[in-house]
Amino acid sequence: MKFMATWSAKPGALREAVGLFLAGKGTPPAGVTLLGRWHSVDCSMGFTLYESDNPAAVYESAAVWAELLDVDTVTVIEDAEAGPVLAKVFAK
């Protein structure tokens, strides 16, 4: 499964979060593959795409940053998976 996380620093936590990231603490836990990470150009938020068969490991990834970042994570599917479902549900 793929999971998309959006995150933003909590008030006053940006400097500490950046320090941990630069120290290499942004590596996901075992069982989670980092597919990509993007940062907004105004430093207000970012996006991380993970792949894992273990939702608890994805939860761990968010928990590590919970004191510093507001993290929202959703399960996502690609167009190739969504298309047939949409055709089935919305076919007339």
Side-chain angles (χ1 to χ4, degrees):
M1 293 183 282
K2 291 186 175 89
F3 300 88
M4 176 66 76
T6 57
W7 43 267
S8 59
K10 293 184 178 188
L14 181 60
R15 186 168 298 280
E16 184 177 354
V18 168
L20 290 174
F21 175 76
L22 293 175
K25 303 297 183 183
T27 303
V32 178
T33 301
L34 175 66
L35 298 177
R37 182 167 34 222
W38 301 268
H39 304 257
S40 66
V41 296
D42 65 357
C43 295
S44 66
M45 65 181 306
F47 310 86
T48 306
L49 182 61
Y50 298 111
E51 188 165 33
S52 181
D53 293 327
N54 183 354
V58 176
Y59 176 80
E60 179 184 341
S61 182
V64 166
W65 293 94
E67 291 183 2
L68 301 174
L69 304 178
D70 289 320
V71 180
D72 293 304
T73 305
V74 296
T75 306
V76 296
I77 61 173
E78 296 182 34
D79 287 355
E81 297 169 294
V85 173
L86 293 173
K88 177 182 175 184
V89 171
F90 292 98
K92 304 229 180 217

